[in-house]
């Protein structure tokens, strides 16, 4: 059993930490961005890895739970605890330094609380690229991005957050600092604890620093919006693009016309790329080294794809403004979704070759549940779709509360049948603990519990996230 | 305490497994390629993951140790146990199937016993590339390559074995099959057990199958051997090449003239690339997509580098034969080293920008120990050097037995001071257990022991590899 972070506990903490470490528990720390959950707790903001370790040691001794808090942009409730003992909400907002930039090694070392946009700027100043790219870059912190193994727009080329990290500094559940800030490309000395902590959503350790991989900035970018006759054609186009353009492809985003209809219906206002919006579109982006002309490469791809009847129309951006306009269509879709209000939204992945079948079969099964609108879009190149289900025009999500669970179950069961994942990039958090229990391989779950129990035997680190709160103790 | 795989145990096993699963314990399974260690045990070759699980269950019940055996090409003794209870040597040589090739998904699924060269062939037949590339490809098996997180020649571009694996099927220490053959690019459902098993050298589970990433084959390759005035210049050239050529660079190998002198002294016979061998050379290889001419790109790199005085001479391969000749120089060096006979050889990595200092300082410190020859070569692009120390001409390694430990300690201490790794790609095995103990972060070691103890509480999986045999039980 865990204990509340009560007044006695907090006064004890005030004796070891400076005044600056104590923050008011405002809505920032307790309210989910879409207002789906509420959390509670007492906010503590240590100023160094050693201070994080002190907080954890105090919590370990008093058996007080800790909820690590990054930028608060998570979509599965991993940063919000509304049940069980009242936790310490541990934020790294006072640890935001870029510690070192080493362009000659393509390495940047940052505090766990460094904001993604600041990391981007520091990399750019050194003429390098840190490719992790997602909408919340102005708020999300690198510790949280690694703890949740964030994905985003550049995964196809550069991998997810995990692939962009060489080493971490982390505080264990015993309150000790593991100095794992490796700057090496190759190191085969012992178990891969870095990748175990990454993606563990704060349940195995707290990431206080990270050594990140930088990349040369492409000399030029090329961006095209292509109309495709079907998801099948989009998958074939992806293969053709891979053969022609190799690893220069950094984005391959599928969109259904539903997203553009939503934008027309509710805004935000965007310039539609086609006079007549096709059913399916793909946004392709390449970043090329010197000596390769991106527009020509995209034109050649378009010509070959048109010949093979894989595309029916296309727009290649001729200026930075056109490029921004094409991307703003893709990037405005989540906001339009929010304005319409989904009954249920899903962050799923299936093997790439199964995507067309998934889309057909998903539509069929959901059709049996009612008159629903589906907005399916996302990172086709990674097999990762955002598959969101909405009421018919004129109806509201609240009219469909009764089928919400069935919608979710229908989608997730189909994903599971197709050997996919019910959380491709958002993580498990508290929202998908039951899904993990339902769909995960039993041996995987058993090993996860054994590891949780071995590294955090009291279960004080983010209890209730990833695994049910009691499972570390089984 | 563990028990010997004695006659009673083996007769029990014969009741559950077919006759074909029992093999004679020949030298193949007990002799290290350089004859540095001997192992012992009884060879068992299950025919399926389920049979592997049966063997492990029998061993778990009788507390008999298991030494997983891949191709037997490991260089740190991980596949050979000469101490403690007599083990079952578990080979996957009957499990060599390529289960599926899915070019449209860039995925290949293979049995854990599939030989790397067979995986290469299957990928090529589907017009794809599986980039893991090392000298022992005709013998090494994918299960072992993953268990040791093998590196090799293409890590700079494609990453090590870990980065090439989407999912594994593995048998746990309890003798159950974890079905983790994920074909997904993105899956954030729970802890990253895949990467924990990968690189654990058979101490946490036995990899019986793997889903591997394939890549489009480059349209063309370009290869150049460049003479550089110093390691400093080589590191600068690497940065310049990155800016100019981006991710097309698949090889960036540093060589010292010592390697070519050894080749001249003992063979194998190769064509020296330069009329007069320079002190330092770099072998650069790029693989380009359609629309990019590799030779032109290398010529432009050469011109810019010559202008900046980073190269003094160069050869660009103009034919497949010339390309093979350049590579044969690099690839023959390990054999020449074997013929000369090293006092001590080291597979180390340091942060790339520290490599020049490491080379200077290493030479200085070893100079104090005697008249030694150093052959320093390897994967500069990954910061990974093979740093091998030899006696003066006319002397033999046996004349220097007394300083072997001091040579090793001198090199490893320097690597550690420079925040490097004493095992960049070969792993820990049994050879480097003490090094791990000496150099690893204490919190890392503590977590490793906790995990070993949680997943293999009896310590039956490859006892004595990675961690000392009793440490799983601490």
């Amino acid at each position: 059993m865990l204990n509340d972070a009560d007044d006695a506990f907090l006064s004890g903490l005030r004796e070891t930490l400076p005044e600056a470490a104590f923050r008011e528990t405002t809505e920032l720390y307790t309210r989910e961005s879409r207002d789906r959950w509420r959390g509670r707790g007492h906010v503590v903001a240590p100023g160094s890895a050693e201070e994080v370790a002190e907080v954890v040691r105090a919590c370990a001794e008093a058996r007080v739970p800790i909820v690590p808090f990054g930028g608060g942009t998570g979509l599965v409730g991993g940063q919000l605890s509304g049940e069980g003992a009242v936790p310490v909400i541990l934020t790294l907002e006072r640890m935001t330094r870029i510690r070192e930039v080493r362009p000659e090694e393509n390495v940047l070392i940052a505090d766990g609380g460094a904001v993604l946009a600041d990391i981007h700027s520091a990399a750019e100043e050194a003429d390098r690229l840190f490719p992790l790219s997602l909408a919340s870059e102005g708020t999300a912190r690198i510790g949280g991005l690694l703890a949740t193994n964030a994905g985003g727009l550049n995964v196809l080329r550069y991998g997810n957050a995990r692939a962009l990290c060489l080493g971490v500094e982390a505080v264990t559940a015993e309150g000790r600092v593991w100095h794992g800030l490796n700057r090496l490309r190759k190191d085969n000395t012992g178990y891969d604890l870095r990748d175990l902590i990454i993606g563990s959503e704060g349940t195995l350790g707290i990431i206080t620093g990270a050594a990140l991989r930088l990349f040369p900035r492409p000399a030029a970018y090329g961006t095209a919006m292509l109309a495709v006759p079907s998801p099948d054609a989009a998958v074939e186009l992806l293969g053709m693009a891979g053969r022609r353009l190799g690893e220069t492809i950094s984005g391959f985003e599928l969109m259904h016309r539903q997203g553009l209809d939503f934008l027309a219906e509710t805004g935000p206002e965007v310039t539609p790329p086609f006079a007549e919006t096709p059913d399916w579109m793909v946004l392709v982006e390449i970043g090329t080294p010197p000596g390769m002309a991106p527009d020509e490469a995209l034109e050649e791809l378009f010509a070959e794809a048109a010949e093979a009847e894989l595309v029916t129309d296309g727009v290649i951006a001729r200026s930075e403004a056109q490029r921004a306009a094409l991307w703003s269509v893709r990037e405005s879709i989540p906001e339009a979704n929010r304005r319409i209000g989904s009954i249920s939204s899903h962050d799923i992945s299936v093997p790439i070759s199964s995507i067309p079948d998934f889309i057909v079969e998903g539509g069929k099964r959901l059709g049996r549940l009612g008159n629903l609108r589906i907005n399916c879009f996302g990172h086709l190149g990674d097999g990762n779709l955002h598959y969101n289900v909405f009421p018919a025009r004129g109806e509201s999500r609240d009219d469909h509360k009764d089928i919400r669970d069935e919608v979710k179950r229908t989608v997730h069961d189909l994903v599971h049948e197709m050997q996919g994942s019910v959380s491709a990039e958002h993580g498990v958090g508290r929202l998908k603990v039951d899904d993990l229990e339902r769909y995960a391989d039993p041996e995987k779950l058993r090993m996860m519990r054994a590891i949780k129990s071995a590294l955090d035997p009291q279960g004080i680190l983010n209890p209730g996230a990833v695994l049910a709160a009691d499972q570390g103790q089984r």
Side-chain angles (χ1 to χ4, degrees), chain A:
Chain A
M1 281 297 297
L2 298 174
N3 302 315
D4 287 348
D6 58 15
D7 289 346
F9 173 79
L10 291 166
S11 354
L13 213 50
R14 279 178 188 274
E15 280 168 29
T16 56
L17 291 181
E19 183 54 33
F22 296 88
R23 303 280 158 121
E24 202 192 330
T25 305
T26 61
E27 282 217 326
L28 172 69
Y29 304 100
T30 59
R31 185 175 167 277
E32 198 257 347
S33 64
R34 295 164 304 181
D35 209 14
R36 298 205 179 166
W37 305 279
R38 292 281 171 151
R40 71 227 198 297
H42 299 280
V43 179
V44 178
S48 66
E50 205 24 73
E51 284 187 15
V52 173
E54 276 185 39
V55 175
V56 177
R57 283 198 297 272
C59 289
E61 200 177 316
R63 303 181 68 108
V64 165
I66 300 167
V67 175
F69 189 92
T73 61
L75 295 169
V76 288
Q79 74 278 32
L80 299 162
S81 170
E83 289 178 1
V86 175
V88 163
I89 298 173
L90 194 147
T91 168
L92 297 193
E93 65 195 60
R94 288 178 60 228
M95 292 176 61
T96 59
R97 265 188 323 142
I98 309 292
R99 297 189 197 170
E100 291 179 55
V101 186
R102 295 176 172 269
E104 76 287 5
E105 286 181 18
N106 283 321
V107 170
L108 180 152
I109 300 180
D111 280 354
V115 171
L116 179 55
D118 294 335
I119 294 172
H120 285 162
S121 305
E124 265 170 47
E125 270 170 42
D127 194 27
R128 292 292 184 279
L129 174 73
F130 181 64
L132 187 64
S133 173
L134 31 74
S136 55
E137 63 165 45
T139 315
R141 299 180 190 279
I142 192 66
L145 289 161
L146 289 169
T148 57
N149 186 28
L153 295 169
N154 279 329
V155 175
L156 178 59
R157 177 169 185 172
Y158 297 101
N160 47 20
R162 179 187 304 292
L164 302 175
C165 181
L166 294 168
V168 296
E169 172 193 274
V171 172
T172 67
E174 292 187 350
R176 288 204 278 247
V177 182
W178 166 41
H179 297 282
L181 278 183
N182 205 329
R183 280 148 54 202
L184 307 171
R185 257 63 184 175
K186 276 173 152 178
D187 176 23
N188 273 349
T189 50
Y191 302 161
D192 182 9
L193 302 182
R194 174 193 67 199
D195 284 316
L196 186 64
I197 300 285
I198 292 174
S200 71
E201 305 186 30
T203 65
L204 300 179
I206 296 164
I207 296 172
T208 54
L212 304 170
R213 290 179 68 187
L214 302 180
F215 292 80
R217 274 147 50 107
Y221 285 96
T223 307
M225 183 80 82
L226 305 175
V228 294
S230 64
D232 256 318
V235 170
E236 253 190 84
L237 180 64
L238 175 65
M240 181 184 284
R243 281 192 303 280
R244 290 198 72 89
L245 303 168
E247 288 96 355
T248 62
I249 308 171
S250 54
F252 200 95
E253 299 284 311
L254 181 72
M255 285 177 283
H256 185 256
R257 68 168 294 145
Q258 188 66 69
L260 281 84
D261 290 351
F262 281 178
L263 284 165
E265 192 177 328
T266 74
E269 204 178 313
V270 299
T271 313
F274 299 101
E276 199 166 323
T277 301
D279 276 355
W280 292 101
M281 289 145 279
V282 167
L283 181 61
V284 186
E285 180 153 282
I286 60 174
T288 53
M292 187 171 165
D295 289 5
E296 273 173 41
L298 287 173
E299 275 160 24
E300 285 167 20
L301 173 67
F302 179 80
E304 188 184 341
E307 181 72 32
E309 297 181 6
L310 299 180
V311 301
T312 55
D313 199 355
V315 180
I316 296 176
R318 297 298 173 189
S319 66
E320 199 47 43
Q322 283 179 12
R323 194 181 149 221
L326 293 182
W327 271 107
S328 90
V329 175
R330 166 63 184 85
E331 288 177 339
S332 300
I333 291 176
E335 176 56 26
N337 286 344
R338 262 188 290 275
R339 294 183 188 179
I340 299 281
S342 73
I343 299 170
S344 181
S345 52
H346 314 94
D347 161 45
I348 60 102
S349 67
V350 292
I352 292 169
S353 62
S354 302
I355 284 178
D357 286 350
F358 172 81
I359 290 173
V360 171
E361 185 63 23
K364 238 186 250 173
R365 294 195 191 176
L366 288 176
R368 292 181 206 130
L369 302 184
N371 185 12
L372 304 171
R373 292 186 292 178
I374 297 167
N375 190 9
C376 169
F377 66 104
H379 319 299
L380 183 69
D382 315 314
N384 175 197
L385 298 176
H386 298 299
Y387 190 86
N388 298 354
V389 182
F390 299 84
R393 195 163 181 158
E395 297 177 4
S396 104
R397 51 182 292 183
D398 293 335
D399 302 336
H400 296 274
K401 267 187 193 158
D402 54 320
I403 61 164
R404 182 170 298 164
D405 286 347
E406 210 178 339
V407 167
K408 181 181 128 179
R409 174 65 66 87
T410 302
V411 174
H412 285 184
D413 280 355
L414 178 59
V415 166
H416 185 65
E417 281 169 35
M418 290 189 154
Q419 303 184 276
S421 167
V422 298
S423 187
E425 60 177 9
H426 294 168
V428 177
R430 290 177 171 78
L431 177 66
K432 295 188 179 172
V433 169
D434 293 344
D435 289 305
L436 186 67
E437 190 73 31
R438 180 178 175 83
Y439 297 113
D441 179 90
E443 282 309 295
K444 175 178 174 175
L445 277 173
R446 196 191 58 76
M447 287 190 277
M448 283 176 58
R449 289 185 191 120
I451 290 166
K452 171 72 174 171
S453 180
L455 297 186
D456 179 18
Q458 299 196 108
I460 60 169
L461 291 181
N462 215 3
V466 186
L467 296 167
D470 61 331
Q471 296 194 339
Q473 284 69 55
R474 274 188 195 172

